[in-house]
Every structure is written in structure tokens, then in C-alpha cells.
Amino acid sequence: GLRTVLDGAFAEAGIRPQIAFEASEPYFLAELAAHGLGVTILPLPKARLHGDRLHVIELTRPSLRGQLGLIWRTDGSTSPAARALVAHARRHLAQRTRTEAAE
């Protein structure tokens, strides 16, 4: 996901990052940076959660976009929690699509 997009962007820019720590948990990555152990790249909403302790710089070039897929069974039953998640995702994605179309 995100790592593949970042690796591609660095390679395209001719940059070879020096990676000392790797983790997949955004909170842990932010903690490493907060303790002076380097920098981290997080999705902007996650980075903003730590803005009181970290300096957040939004990366705008290159535009880093990834895709996230939500899949579920089409046959058989789904739990109430799964149905609620799918309904929430559909509402959020429909709202985001309308917002992006207006821009």
C-alpha cells in the first residue's frame, strides 16, 4: 500500500531514504518521531492528531495517492456490524466523490 507508493515516489525523485526503523502502526511511528528518532510519513489526518507534539508538513509534490478496497461476501449473511461498516463507507465515499467533483 502506502510503502509501495512512497518507494516509487522516492525512486522517481532519485532519492534513497535512510530507513532506520519500520513499523506499520501510525501511533508508534509518531512516537518515534516525537522522541527525536527521525521523521515519519503518515496520512495527513493521522499526522494532524499529533500536531501538538510534532511539526506537520503536508507533502504536495508528487501527489501521493493510493487505493483502498473494501470487500465483503455477496452470498450468505453478513453481521450487523459488517452491514453498518459497508453503509458508512458508502455514505463517506459518496460524499467524498461529490466534494471532489465540485472542486
Side-chain angles (χ1 to χ4, degrees), residues 12 21 34 75 80 96 98:
E12 188 174 311
F21 298 100
D75 62 334
R96 186 173 182 153
R98 285 191 300 270

Side-chain angles (χ1 to χ4, degrees), residues 9-27:
F10 281 129
E12 188 174 311
I15 299 170
R16 294 190 62 190
Q18 295 180 356
I19 300 170
F21 298 100
E22 290 191 53
S24 59
E25 171 57 41
Y27 175 80

Side-chain angles (χ1 to χ4, degrees), residues 3-98:
R3 176 61 187 269
T4 301
V5 172
L6 290 172
D7 287 345
F10 281 129
E12 188 174 311
I15 299 170
R16 294 190 62 190
Q18 295 180 356
I19 300 170
F21 298 100
E22 290 191 53
S24 59
E25 171 57 41
Y27 175 80
F28 184 65
L29 291 166
E31 286 298 308
L32 289 171
H35 285 90
L37 297 173
V39 298
T40 187
I41 297 175
L42 297 171
L44 191 55
K46 295 286 186 187
R48 286 183 176 150
L49 291 175
H50 302 279
D52 59 329
R53 297 177 29 203
L54 299 171
H55 185 75
V56 177
I57 299 172
E58 183 175 354
L59 300 177
T60 58
R61 289 182 313 207
S63 177
L64 301 175
R65 303 209 36 111
Q67 292 183 329
L68 178 65
L70 179 63
I71 58 173
W72 63 94
R73 290 175 47 165
T74 58
D75 62 334
S77 63
T78 54
S79 70
R83 288 192 301 273
L85 174 63
V86 170
H88 176 76
R90 285 182 168 156
R91 281 192 307 274
H92 177 74
L93 293 173
Q95 178 184 21
R96 186 173 182 153
T97 300
R98 285 191 300 270

